[in-house]
C-alpha cells in the first residue's frame, strides 16, 4: 500500500484494507518465532519493529511460554493444537 498526500495511490480492494494489512503484518512477523503461536495479541499502532521485538522478548523469557504437543489441549482456547508443536504464551 502506497500513500500520497491525498490518500492511497493504489486501488484498495476492501474498505478495511488498512486493517487487514496491519493484521497480516503482525501475524507474519510473529511467525518468525519459529512455531505457531497460540495466544491473544492486541496491537495498537504496531509495525514490523514492534512485532519482531515482541517475538524476541517472548522467546527470551522462558517463563512466558511453553511448547505443547499436538495431542495436548490448549485450555484458554479449548481446541486441539493444529501443528505437532505450538508455542503457547
Amino acid at each position: 500500500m502506497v500513500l500520497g498526500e491525498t490518500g492511497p495511490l493504489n486501488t484498495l480492494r476492501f474498505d478495511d484494507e488498512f486493517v487487514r494489512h496491519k493484521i497480516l503484518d503482525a501475524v507474519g512477523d510473529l511467525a518468525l518465532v519459529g512455531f505457531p503461536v497460540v495466544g491473544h495479541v492486541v496491537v495498537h499502532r504496531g509495525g514490523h519493529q514492534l512485532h519482531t521485538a515482541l517475538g524476541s522478548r517472548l522467546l527470551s523469557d522462558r517463563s512466558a511460554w511453553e511448547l505443547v504437543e499436538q495431542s495436548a489441549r490448549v485450555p484458554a482456547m479449548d481446541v486441539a493444537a493444529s501443528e505437532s508443536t505450538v508455542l503457547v504464551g
Side-chain angles (χ1 to χ4, degrees):
M1 296 175 37
V2 180
L3 295 178
E5 291 181 23
T6 60
L9 297 179
N10 55 316
T11 304
L12 300 180
R13 295 168 288 180
F14 306 98
D15 291 340
D16 61 352
E17 183 109 14
F18 289 104
V19 174
R20 291 177 182 218
H21 185 95
K22 294 302 261 184
I23 291 169
L24 286 174
D25 281 349
V27 169
D29 292 339
L30 288 175
L32 297 173
V33 165
F35 294 96
V37 176
V38 176
H40 183 88
V41 177
V42 177
V43 178
H44 178 74
R45 298 187 65 145
H48 295 294
Q49 186 175 4
L50 182 64
H51 305 154
T52 55
L54 171 62
S56 294
R57 177 73 185 267
L58 183 64
L59 289 176
S60 70
D61 183 357
R62 185 59 181 95
S63 67
W65 55 271
E66 65 178 312
L67 291 178
V68 178
E69 294 298 322
Q70 179 179 2
S71 60
R73 303 289 293 177
V74 179
M77 299 184 70
D78 195 31
V79 295
S82 61
E83 298 289 328
S84 60
T85 306
V86 297
L87 181 122
V88 177

